[in-house]
Amino acid sequence: MSLMVPSMVQEDMSPQRKHWMVTLQEVFYPTLAAVGIPSNTITFLIIWRRNCMLSRSSTFYLMAISVADNLVLFFIVVLELTLKYHQQEPFWSHEPWCSLRDIFNYGAHNASAWLVVVFTVERFVAIHTWKIKSKVCTPRCAAWTILAVFLLSHVFAIPHYWANVSVNRNNQTRCIYKPGAPSQFIHALVGLQTLQAYILPFLIILTLNGLTLRLISRSNRVHITTDLTSRVNKIMPLLRSRKRKSVVLLVTVSMSFVLLSVTRAITQIILRTTHMYTMDRNDYNHQINIAADIGTMLSLSNAAANMYLYVCTQSRFHQECLACVRQTPFYCNTKS
């Protein structure tokens, strides 16, 4: 049961009958990988080696998100979707890759989603709960949390090993839903994946962001009274500036994930809970198939967008990125 290719059988499509959505995806996915993988790698290196004025725990989470996003681009965009549109018989059509494919796909996708969730929780705690901040917002806690997210994301993907099977039809090997699998098993997998990849992350992110913005709005109404010392008057603007930057970073990362994923979440719920479940997903005469594939494209775009979001919203990251660009010609000249 592929994360991005849920059709039972992929129909052959001659150039004369090729739908525009197929042509779009043939170009889009290789381009997305070519842009996203270097961007995430650069983001990881800048956050790791340069001073971006981030807390150590935030640094760990953002580096982990870059790694998870690259895994999404590699396993889903490159190995699955790009090969699907450019090869008649990708290597994952055969066993054991047909069964193993979705473990890596869902594992990477869920890790990317839940790292955004735990980053949102960590920033919420750092901004508003001073009592437990010293215990939660630490590099050690961040490292263990990241390890747990990667591990559990792949553990929860293991049941997908029994959902697919490699078959030979019309002299072509394909990886499809296992025909003999109980429908309850398939529906349970679909329901669990939808819950853990979209519904729960959306609820947590929207709730915590809403509380954060509400508390920030309330705190902005509190003015510094004239009887405060001059020292406090100097410190408060600095604290407010840091808090504002932290909130901007939090909302940028988490809400971009929600906004880019919501179309796929809605279309997948519609496809999985109605009579459209048995529909040929390669038949673009059905508008829901076009909407679903556009939703998939938007959702996967999130894995390539973070560097550009940081550049636009984080002045320090923007400066460090420009510094790296300026140093590249000098580095190349010294090596030549």
Side-chain angles (χ1 to χ4, degrees):
M1 183 167 53
S2 168
L3 176 64
M4 302 300 166
V5 191
S7 58
M8 295 291 290
V9 178
Q10 181 182 341
E11 299 294 338
D12 292 329
M13 194 173 296
S14 64
Q16 291 79 13
R17 295 186 294 129
K18 186 182 294 184
H19 194 274
W20 63 268
M21 272 300 298
V22 175
T23 304
L24 175 62
Q25 291 175 92
E26 286 177 349
V27 176
F28 177 80
Y29 290 119
T31 304
L32 181 65
V35 172
I37 292 177
S39 298
N40 289 328
T41 305
I42 292 170
T43 299
F44 179 92
L45 293 175
I46 289 177
I47 294 175
W48 177 34
R49 301 301 298 270
R50 313 287 290 197
N51 181 16
C52 296
M53 300 297 290
L54 298 170
S55 67
R56 289 293 294 166
S57 57
S58 293
T59 297
F60 279 28
Y61 283 116
L62 294 181
M63 288 166 59
I65 290 173
S66 296
V67 172
D69 285 345
N70 263 357
L71 291 177
V72 169
L73 293 173
F74 178 72
F75 285 117
I76 299 175
V77 175
V78 176
L79 293 187
E80 181 175 351
L81 293 174
T82 300
L83 293 184
K84 170 199 171 186
Y85 287 106
H86 292 275
Q87 290 186 6
Q88 283 292 106
E89 197 170 290
F91 73 93
W92 44 256
S93 299
H94 304 269
E95 296 292 354
W97 310 113
C98 177
S99 298
L100 292 173
R101 180 189 60 183
D102 282 354
I103 297 178
F104 295 106
N105 284 359
Y106 283 117
H109 185 268
N110 293 340
S112 178
W114 279 95
L115 283 171
V116 174
V117 172
V118 295
F119 174 69
T120 302
V121 173
E122 190 265 353
R123 285 295 84 200
F124 178 82
V125 170
I127 294 169
H128 300 299
T129 24
W130 293 92
K131 292 183 179 179
I132 62 174
K133 177 181 177 180
S134 59
K135 297 180 180 179
V136 175
C137 305
T138 64
R140 179 183 176 85
C141 182
W144 280 107
T145 302
I146 291 166
L147 179 62
V149 168
F150 274 107
L151 180 62
L152 291 176
S153 295
H154 287 81
V155 167
F156 279 106
I158 290 176
H160 294 281
Y161 178 85
W162 295 278
N164 291 342
V165 66
S166 178
V167 298
N168 190 289
R169 294 182 178 177
N170 300 323
N171 294 323
Q172 188 170 2
T173 304
R174 302 188 182 280
C175 184
I176 65 171
Y177 292 136
K178 187 175 291 185
S183 60
Q184 296 87 348
F185 173 68
I186 299 298
H187 282 85
L189 285 181
V190 171
L192 178 63
Q193 177 59 25
T194 303
L195 181 68
Q196 66 179 338
Y198 300 109
I199 297 177
L200 286 180
F202 285 5
L203 289 177
I204 295 172
I205 288 172
L206 292 174
T207 300
L208 294 185
N209 279 352
L211 290 173
T212 298
L213 294 176
R214 179 173 175 270
L215 292 172
I216 292 295
S217 177
R218 289 176 60 185
S219 66
N220 286 340
R221 298 171 189 165
V222 180
H223 301 285
I224 302 175
T225 57
T226 56
D227 60 337
L228 294 177
T229 64
S230 59
R231 178 175 176 273
V232 174
N233 279 323
K234 292 177 181 178
I235 292 175
M236 286 303 293
L238 177 60
L239 293 177
R240 287 182 176 179
S241 175
R242 289 178 178 175
K243 181 178 287 190
R244 182 172 60 253
K245 291 180 180 179
S246 185
V247 171
V248 170
L249 178 62
L250 167 64
V251 173
T252 299
V253 174
S254 59
M255 292 308 296
S256 64
F257 163 73
V258 172
L259 293 175
L260 290 173
S261 301
V262 67
T263 302
R264 173 170 169 79
I266 293 173
T267 54
Q268 291 305 302
I269 290 173
I270 293 173
L271 285 170
R272 304 305 189 182
T273 58
T274 65
H275 67 281
M276 298 178 183
Y277 181 76
T278 57
M279 180 190 301
D280 178 12
R281 282 282 285 108
N282 293 308
D283 184 1
Y284 290 108
N285 292 318
H286 300 286
Q287 296 300 313
I288 187 64
N289 286 339
I290 297 177
D293 282 356
I294 290 176
T296 296
M297 294 164 67
L298 290 173
S299 179
L300 291 174
S301 296
N302 181 68
N306 281 336
M307 176 181 137
Y308 307 99
L309 295 174
Y310 299 158
V311 167
C312 294
T313 59
Q314 299 295 305
S315 58
R316 186 67 181 184
F317 183 89
H318 179 81
Q319 294 169 9
E320 295 295 342
C321 190
L322 289 178
C324 290
V325 171
R326 295 191 190 101
Q327 290 177 4
T328 301
F330 173 78
Y331 178 80
C332 293
N333 290 335
T334 58
K335 287 290 185 181
S336 59

